[in-house]
Amino acid sequence: MTQGAELSSTDQFLARLGAAASPVGAIVLILSTLLHPLDSDPNDAPAAFAEYAANSIYVWSHLGQFAGFALLGVTLLGLAATLEAGRAAAWARVGVIGVAASISIVAALQAVDGVALKVTVNRWAAATGEARSLAFEVALAVRQIEIGLASFLSLMFVLSIIAFGLAMSYSVLYPAWLAAIALAAGLGALAAGAAQASTGFSNLGTLTSMLSSLALLVWAILVGFFMWRLASRQASPV
């Protein structure tokens, strides 16, 4: 982007693309999460595994979660394209690196949770005798890998959001309260990641994760609105 508030044609396209991806990504992520089996306590492995094994769209709900998160990554890429040169753009670049790393972690997380765990819980549900006990231990080991990836996703993504919050605080194109929401939600996600790393899918970890995720989704939708308005009032360079 140029030194002023004027966007290049590429930046305008990225801003519009990111703005459009914002509500779509949020809706896809919410719907996919609602389709995920949620009745059992995730920290009660036997009950959760039985519910997962019985769910016929388990893999698809996780593919949807990945798609929703990736779309929100496009939103943040568009946000970075709109920020002014200097401190705002510098922090945005840090945020973009974090988003790219976060999407990679999400891909690994959904592969472990949505595919590998589903296979192992299916084998456990179908097994009998000693084989059933062994299958359960395998599924439980996969579950621990999932917890590790989920906690590090929260930690990595929160650093990205905090970087974008700092970037917006140095920008005159976005209101200060929008930057404050990013920083506050980022701190909440940091707490969620720490709780998951230390307690697994406990009530504390799940609650903090849900609240921080909801705040981040609201923030992303608001960012999309401001980006679309910004891109619409910018004239394309000659």
Side-chain angles (χ1 to χ4, degrees):
M1 201 177 78
T2 56
Q3 280 286 343
E6 182 178 337
L7 302 179
S8 70
S9 58
T10 300
D11 293 337
Q12 285 185 40
F13 178 78
L14 278 173
R16 289 194 176 98
L17 184 64
S22 171
V24 176
I27 291 171
V28 169
L29 192 55
I30 291 172
L31 290 179
S32 299
T33 301
L34 291 176
L35 291 174
H36 188 287
L38 297 171
D39 292 336
S40 300
D41 181 355
N43 249 12
D44 182 353
F49 290 173
E51 187 178 10
Y52 299 166
N55 189 272
S56 61
I57 59 171
Y58 189 84
V59 174
W60 294 105
S61 66
H62 288 78
L63 290 174
Q65 287 179 327
F66 173 75
F69 194 95
L71 286 168
L72 293 178
V74 175
T75 297
L76 296 177
L77 180 62
L79 172 60
T82 65
L83 293 167
E84 306 97 315
R87 292 182 178 179
W91 277 112
R93 290 180 185 180
V94 174
V96 166
I97 294 172
V99 168
S102 297
I103 292 176
S104 298
I105 299 175
V106 168
L109 172 61
Q110 302 308 332
V112 169
D113 182 15
V115 180
L117 183 61
K118 175 61 172 172
V119 172
T120 57
V121 297
N122 284 352
R123 289 180 65 86
W124 166 73
T128 57
E130 185 178 350
R132 183 174 175 85
S133 298
L134 292 175
F136 177 80
E137 293 301 322
V138 172
L140 190 62
V142 174
R143 181 66 147 185
Q144 304 315 305
I145 297 172
E146 175 199 350
I147 291 172
L149 287 170
S151 62
F152 270 80
L153 170 62
S154 294
L155 296 174
M156 175 58 69
F157 193 58
V158 69
L159 295 177
S160 306
I161 296 301
I162 289 175
F164 276 107
L166 290 172
M168 296 175 77
S169 70
Y170 288 114
S171 173
V172 298
L173 302 176
Y174 296 94
W177 58 264
L178 196 57
I181 291 177
L183 294 172
L187 292 175
L190 180 63
Q196 285 182 340
S198 58
T199 65
F201 293 139
S202 64
N203 290 333
L204 174 63
T206 301
L207 178 61
T208 53
S209 178
M210 290 180 62
L211 291 176
S212 61
S213 296
L214 180 60
L216 287 172
L217 286 178
V218 171
W219 175 77
I221 293 173
L222 290 171
V223 167
F225 168 77
F226 279 97
M227 280 199 300
W228 186 271
R229 191 173 68 171
L230 176 64
S232 297
R233 69 172 181 239
Q234 292 283 337
S236 297
V238 178

